[in-house]
Amino acid sequence: MARVPFESLSLHYSMHRTLSFGPDDLLSKIVKGSGGYCMELNTFFVSVLRSLNYPLFSVGGRVGMGGAYGGWNHQLNIVTIDCRRYVVDVRFCSNGPLQPNPPEDGREFPQIAPARGKLECKALPIHTDASQLLPCRFRSDEPHHHEMNLTSMTSPRNFFVYAVMYIRTILDDRTGKLIGLLILLRDYVKRQLGGHAEIIENLETKAWRVAALRKWF
């Protein structure tokens, strides 16, 4: 989480402006120092875990904002260790869990301090089947997975398509703990440490944004 950034640069600063989920393409992109958004990073993490013989499956998710849920626009993994399932989400934008968590209703987990998260295991109001506590399964080679990504990287209404984003987690080299975030979002760069956040640079032009990416990231 400290070394791989969460970012949408390929959708704005590449010739093709598309994303590939091919294992070799993800390996080349992420290991060489770039990052990606949730579907890229969690898909790559699937390859890592499967190479280590962990049993798992990927799930699609909906992101809730103010009580309303959007379409299938998030991906995470359910990993089984010693006959017990864990929710594993290596990146959820600027927030998310710092550790695997059993899917237990009400379970709290640490995020970058002072934030904390809590799991809720219940049916969403929009689901017609009240027993559906986990989103539908799909493998990385199934059409649903590619359909989710196609929408996320091409729809003009998708956040990553209309907003340039680059997020790097700040690591305390002395303690090894994640202590903050450095965020470039559209026209500003913001630093978050603990409960304090400050804008450290405003970006008035596209050229300023490119210069800020080089300077801060």
Side-chain angles (χ1 to χ4, degrees), residues 30 118 207:
I30 294 171
K118 184 168 69 172

Side-chain angles (χ1 to χ4, degrees), residues 4-7 10 29-30 33-37 40-41 166:
V4 180
F6 185 97
E7 48 96 346
S10 294
K29 180 182 181 184
I30 294 171
S34 298
Y37 62 12
E40 295 176 279
L41 302 184
Y166 197 105

Side-chain angles (χ1 to χ4, degrees), residues 19-196:
L19 305 173
S20 170
F21 277 29
D24 291 339
D25 293 332
L26 290 174
L27 175 69
S28 177
K29 180 182 181 184
I30 294 171
V31 173
K32 286 184 178 179
S34 298
Y37 62 12
C38 64
M39 297 180 198
E40 295 176 279
L41 302 184
N42 276 309
T43 297
F44 180 66
F45 202 55
V46 165
S47 298
V48 174
L49 293 177
R50 282 182 175 159
S51 73
L52 298 171
N53 296 318
Y54 283 97
L56 61 92
F57 61 89
S58 295
V59 297
R62 301 175 187 265
V63 178
M65 297 289 289
Y69 288 85
W72 296 99
N73 54 7
H74 185 56
Q75 178 194 341
L76 61 154
N77 302 306
I78 307 295
V79 183
T80 300
I81 303 174
D82 295 333
C83 300
R84 190 179 190 188
R85 284 181 172 176
Y86 293 85
V87 177
V88 179
D89 189 353
V90 295
R91 203 62 161 165
F92 180 73
C93 201
S94 62
N95 219 328
L98 305 182
Q99 64 190 35
N101 290 284
E104 301 168 352
D105 188 44
R107 182 181 181 88
E108 294 191 0
F109 54 85
Q111 297 171 303
I112 296 176
R116 293 185 64 82
K118 184 168 69 172
L119 287 177
E120 292 185 355
C121 296
K122 61 184 182 182
L124 299 180
I126 56 176
H127 289 164
T128 57
D129 182 358
S131 66
Q132 185 181 357
L133 297 184
L134 285 175
C136 65
R137 300 186 186 188
F138 59 93
R139 295 202 317 269
S140 60
D141 56 349
E142 289 186 347
H144 190 181
H145 178 87
H146 295 287
E147 181 179 324
M148 280 177 52
N149 181 52
L150 180 63
T151 301
S152 295
M153 71 178 179
T154 60
S155 172
R157 294 178 297 176
N158 186 276
F159 181 79
F160 301 113
V161 173
Y162 68 76
V164 178
M165 172 183 284
Y166 197 105
I167 300 174
R168 181 170 63 83
T169 305
I170 301 172
L171 184 71
D172 186 325
D173 293 329
R174 182 178 57 85
T175 64
K177 293 183 178 181
L178 305 177
I179 58 173
L181 296 165
L182 191 62
I183 301 170
L184 182 147
L185 179 59
R186 289 180 289 201
D187 58 359
Y188 65 82
V189 179
K190 178 171 67 173
R191 181 189 289 117
Q192 293 181 195
L193 286 174
H196 179 68

